[in-house]
Amino acid sequence: MKKTTTFKTVFYSFLIIMFICLNAENINAQISTGYAFTQTTETYTPITGGTVLGTATVGGSGATALDDVIFPAVLASAWPFTFQFNFLPVSQIFVSSNGFITFGTVSPPASGGTSGYTPISNSTGASALYDGCAAAFARNLSGNTGTGALGEVRYQTIGAAPNRKFVIQFKNFRPASTANIINFQIRLCETTNWIEYVYGAFTMTAAGTVQVGLRGATNAAFLNRSVVSATNTWATSVAGTLNTSSCAYSNTTALFPASGLVYQFGPPLCPAPLNLAATNVTSTTADLIWTVISGGGTFNVEYGLSGFTPGTGTTISNIVGNSVSISGLIAQTNYQFYIKQNCSGSGNGFSAVSGPKNFSSGGPGEECLTAPTISVASSSASAVNTLVTSGVSQNGPNAQCSDVTGNIANDDYWIKFIAPSNGNGLYISTTAGTVNDWVMELWNECPNNGGSVLVCADDDISSGSQMPVISLCQNQYVAGQVYYLRMWTYSNVLTGNMNLKIYQTPECAIPPANDACASATRIYINPTGSCPASAVTSTTKYATASGDASNCGSASTILDSWMIFNTGNFGDVNLSFALGTANNLKAAVFFECGGAEIECYNVAAGSRTLSGLNPGADYLIRVWSDTLGSLDWGTFTVCLSDLCLEPTASIGGSKILCSGDTASIPVTLGGSGPWTIVYSDGFTNRTVTTSISPYMIDTAPSATTFYSLVSVSNPTCAGIVSGNYLINVIPKPSISNITPLSGPIGTNVTINGNNLSNVSLVGFNNVTSSAFSITNNNQIKVNVPLGTTSGPISLVNLGCTVYGTSPFSVTGGNVNISVRAFIEGYYQGGVMPAILDPVNKPNVCDTLELQLYSSVAPFNFVMSRKAELSITGAAIFSFPSSIVGQSYYLALKHRNSLETWSKDFKSIPSTGIFYNFSQ
């Protein structure tokens, strides 16, 4: 009946389609409950175009007389619009010469009293043959009338969108064995999805009965007409009460359809919603859902306590779609709701009211978020049953572990528990209550919080029970984590209760993941001194024998676990073991699985050195308990570390050094210290010990020297050195005397000294000159450059700079800059008042400062001088002759006035200049 227990991850998504599945019989019944019948009259107009399906031949019989013929399927592409029958799109039709069409994918029977002539009541083949039919004049018909008129079946689309009609026309047919002539059409209507039977000229000479109406997928779903001789007529037909109801005909005028009579069958233009249901119900909320047939309108829902009078409940209007969420419900209370469609927008008013549909609000456990907590017993003996009652709604996705019926959790209930922390197994058992068939899921989190299904359980196959059980080993859950159980009755109609227990079981005998050489756990060599802090924990508990012998043990008792490591660029390695819960551990080292044992240790605990290992190679460590059973197995730790973190030392680069100066060579150190460094200058080795990196070697060579590192070591091992350093020693120039030591700009100065032949610059108080001549290695002649001020003389030789001990003094007087300016606020018609000292200096107004700025961006300040400003606006500023030949911007400043600059820069001649700031 159901599938076995499966493990499946299920994503959280509500499938509204399940309500359609649950109410499929309602959909099938729409022919009888959702379709309506009307009739009218019109002028019967035969079609003459389109496609001819078949024409009878003169004197023909059987197929040539169109007797019991099922024409090939007419695909939906034959009509240029979408048409629905029984509220589902039609993909094709079959046309029977016996006065009807079918909507299935399989051709109906061609003949037979209960198959080809009575399609509405026919039980043969049921939905496989029909999937519905439309019968306009269904009985045994023939296209050979015996009067010379030949029967014909054709189809054609008539009219204009959106009111086109696909017409199947039966022309010049007769009931078998009579000379009657009948004409009629079956029309499929665009937009309304109505089916019309339009009757034309009839000539009747005999009596009989026909089936007229619609049939759904089974003969239990029907909407047909009844005409009983001497009771009613085709114009006054009534609804049939049985699927065998028929319409009588005879040569009496009232007992055959008059030309132009139209029977119309179809859905209302504003149909009532179907399949009302409540889902996602909680203690205070619910989703009300329904099936939308057609109409294109909105929906009005009214809900209230069970038994409320319509018009007094809570109404939600103009709902778009097929669902609405409501809130504010009272927990564990009975409610009901009604719904109708509003098609006023299309002019079709309101549908009939559907309902009431009953539902109940939930209590704790109705949804995952309100799941009550139950405890996990320490054993089966101490476990106590918890009574679980099914919920009122589905609050999660469909399941995967049962058949279609059991997968629908329409009455699920939730509980939660905390997983134990002692490493035992976990068992969840159920026993029947008022319902003996349930489905159960284990979740790691609630669906709306992103949870997923860990286990889905249906029948307990081992016991033959239809009650679910879930068994977990200690590696299938996380200790201390909250888990959620979801349970529901397998039946979609039954509700009731059951009993549940959750308890611990002995741990499962699960071998460690590294139980075999091929699945060895990879571990790594740690830096020197990292063990035991960086140790890796493993276990021999439940380990199995690998079958390989050892020099330290018998193959039959080696219950081992394995680790693997790579030597990389390490040299000797320290290997250490420590016991956890294990006892009497042994160990061995292998080069590869199945290879030779390199060495083994009868007692694993402790440390030893692995030496002579190949670089960049994998090696295996095997650890085992040598006693069968649980006496010795358990946890242990393994730690690998480099015996020595090899030191490194490196230097590199070059430097120019002036003779007599001192240089520092940086040594970059790596690995572990302290470091002992041996370095050489090409003649002598020197040794230093330091704990600082980089270390600076200070040296003062008298000639160019090449330095290199000889070795580096720490207290544990020797390391690697690299690089070299070049110091290029340059002779430094010296000044013995300068003649003369003073003079004006342009004075020729003789500098005597040593190592002067490579001098590239001569400076006078940092004003450099390249206009000099080298007489020999001991003498230079140079003219004092413009801008020079008194100060020391310097020489530059290939980066080496020296200064003379005696300064040079610039002589030759000053250069005057005269200005004319008036101070705003003081000006009184060509003169200014004597502000500075009216008694002692009656001709002096105040003091000013004149600043000189470089003529080249960024126009840096050079120097300034102060002078008295006469009452007539004259001031003379005295500057040193070093400004001669230079260009400056002039800036005049006063303590209470704005700073004023010259319009442009001025070149200063030896005679000085005048600048008028008053213009």
Side-chain angles (χ1 to χ4, degrees), residues 237-263:
S237 67
V238 297
T241 57
L242 301 173
N243 60 16
T244 55
S245 296
S246 62
C247 294
Y249 67 87
S250 71
N251 58 359
T252 302
T253 301
L255 278 182
F256 62 82
S259 179
L261 175 66
V262 181
Y263 280 180

Side-chain angles (χ1 to χ4, degrees), residues 624-650:
W624 68 91
S625 301
D626 211 14
T627 303
L628 293 175
S630 60
L631 293 178
D632 287 339
W633 68 24
T635 60
F636 61 91
T637 62
V638 178
C639 196
L640 289 169
S641 62
D642 189 6
L643 273 181
C644 175
L645 186 57
E646 289 85 354
T648 61
S650 63

Side-chain angles (χ1 to χ4, degrees), residues 647-655 663-670 675-682 684-686 688 690 692-699 705-712 720-727:
T648 61
S650 63
I651 58 175
S654 62
K655 184 175 184 178
S664 293
I665 302 173
V667 182
T668 302
L669 300 167
W675 298 270
T676 297
I677 309 164
V678 178
Y679 68 93
S680 172
D681 60 4
T684 305
N685 289 351
R686 293 176 175 82
V688 295
T690 182
I692 300 174
S693 178
Y695 175 76
M696 309 302 292
I697 298 175
D698 293 327
T699 183
T705 303
F706 187 84
Y707 292 86
S708 62
L709 297 176
V710 178
S711 66
V712 64
I720 300 172
V721 297
S722 62
N724 49 65
Y725 201 95
L726 175 64
I727 295 180

Side-chain angles (χ1 to χ4, degrees), residues 270-278 287-294 297-304 308 310-311 314-326 336-343 350-359:
C270 189
L274 303 174
N275 306 320
L276 278 61
D287 290 341
L288 308 182
I289 66 172
W290 54 91
T291 300
V292 179
I293 300 301
S294 61
T298 59
F299 298 88
N300 295 350
V301 167
E302 184 180 9
Y303 69 93
F308 80 97
T314 301
T315 300
I316 306 174
S317 302
N318 299 319
I319 302 166
V320 177
N322 64 340
S323 66
V324 65
S325 297
I326 60 174
Q336 60 185 196
F337 73 96
Y338 298 84
I339 182 171
K340 62 181 178 181
Q341 184 173 190
N342 180 0
C343 304
F350 287 84
S351 73
V353 176
S354 297
K357 177 65 179 179
N358 298 320
F359 69 97

Side-chain angles (χ1 to χ4, degrees), residues 2 5 37 57 73 97 99 136 176 191 294 353 355-356 397-398 473 517 611 626 632 636 763 769 840 844 850 899:
K2 297 182 288 179
T5 301
F37 168 79
T57 59
S97 65
T191 305
S294 61
V353 176
N398 283 352
C473 288
C517 180
S611 58
D626 211 14
D632 287 339
F636 61 91
S769 173
N840 298 312
V844 176
L850 182 66
E899 177 180 317

Side-chain angles (χ1 to χ4, degrees), residues 491-559:
S491 168
N492 296 150
V493 295
L494 291 179
T495 59
N497 59 51
M498 69 167 183
N499 294 301
L500 176 85
K501 289 182 181 180
I502 306 178
Y503 54 89
Q504 299 179 47
T505 58
E507 66 178 358
C508 301
I510 302 172
N514 58 340
D515 185 46
C517 180
S519 59
T521 299
R522 184 165 290 278
I523 62 176
Y524 299 91
I525 300 174
N526 300 288
T528 304
S530 297
C531 293
S534 301
V536 175
T537 300
S538 187
T539 185
T540 58
K541 191 172 185 179
Y542 299 122
T544 60
S546 64
D548 296 325
S550 170
N551 293 325
C552 295
S554 169
S556 62
T557 59
I558 296 180
L559 310 179

Side-chain angles (χ1 to χ4, degrees), residues 368-369 371-376 414-421 426 428 441-447 451-455 470 472-487 500 502:
C368 181
L369 295 177
T373 302
I374 66 171
S375 59
V376 178
W414 294 80
I415 65 170
K416 62 185 177 182
F417 64 91
I418 301 174
S421 301
L426 198 61
I428 305 168
E441 287 177 336
L442 179 68
W443 288 69
N444 60 1
E445 180 55 273
C446 288
S452 58
V453 176
L454 302 180
V455 184
I470 294 176
L472 300 175
C473 288
Q474 64 273 12
N475 63 339
Q476 293 176 293
Y477 67 85
V478 178
Q481 180 172 319
V482 177
Y483 289 90
Y484 298 82
L485 277 174
R486 180 189 187 205
M487 299 146 287
L500 176 85
I502 306 178

Side-chain angles (χ1 to χ4, degrees), residues 97-294:
S97 65
N98 291 320
F100 64 90
I101 64 174
T102 62
F103 297 98
T105 57
V106 180
S107 175
S111 62
T114 60
S115 55
Y117 305 150
T118 56
I120 295 178
S121 59
N122 172 36
S123 60
T124 304
S127 61
L129 293 177
Y130 290 101
D131 234 4
C133 78
F137 204 85
R139 60 153 296 134
N140 187 11
L141 300 179
S142 171
N144 184 356
T145 62
T147 64
L150 298 178
E152 176 194 82
V153 178
R154 75 168 62 221
Y155 63 80
Q156 181 181 356
T157 299
I158 62 174
N163 299 307
R164 292 170 290 189
K165 298 180 180 182
F166 182 70
V167 181
I168 303 99
Q169 178 174 278
F170 294 78
K171 178 182 176 181
N172 295 334
F173 273 76
R174 64 175 174 83
S177 304
T178 71
N180 302 337
I181 296 178
I182 59 177
N183 293 275
F184 60 92
Q185 296 173 348
I186 300 175
R187 298 177 179 177
L188 309 182
C189 300
E190 183 182 13
T191 305
T192 63
N193 294 310
W194 288 351
I195 298 176
E196 296 179 341
Y197 304 152
V198 186
Y199 298 97
F202 271 60
T203 301
M204 307 301 297
T205 61
T209 61
V210 295
Q211 287 191 345
V212 179
L214 303 178
R215 165 219 173 105
T218 69
N219 62 5
F222 61 90
L223 181 65
N224 58 5
R225 306 306 294 170
S226 173
V227 176
V228 178
S229 180
T231 300
N232 58 344
T233 68
W234 281 71
T236 59
S237 67
V238 297
T241 57
L242 301 173
N243 60 16
T244 55
S245 296
S246 62
C247 294
Y249 67 87
S250 71
N251 58 359
T252 302
T253 301
L255 278 182
F256 62 82
S259 179
L261 175 66
V262 181
Y263 280 180
Q264 295 173 317
F265 299 84
L269 295 180
C270 189
L274 303 174
N275 306 320
L276 278 61
T279 187
N280 302 334
V281 178
T282 70
S283 58
T284 59
T285 64
D287 290 341
L288 308 182
I289 66 172
W290 54 91
T291 300
V292 179
I293 300 301
S294 61

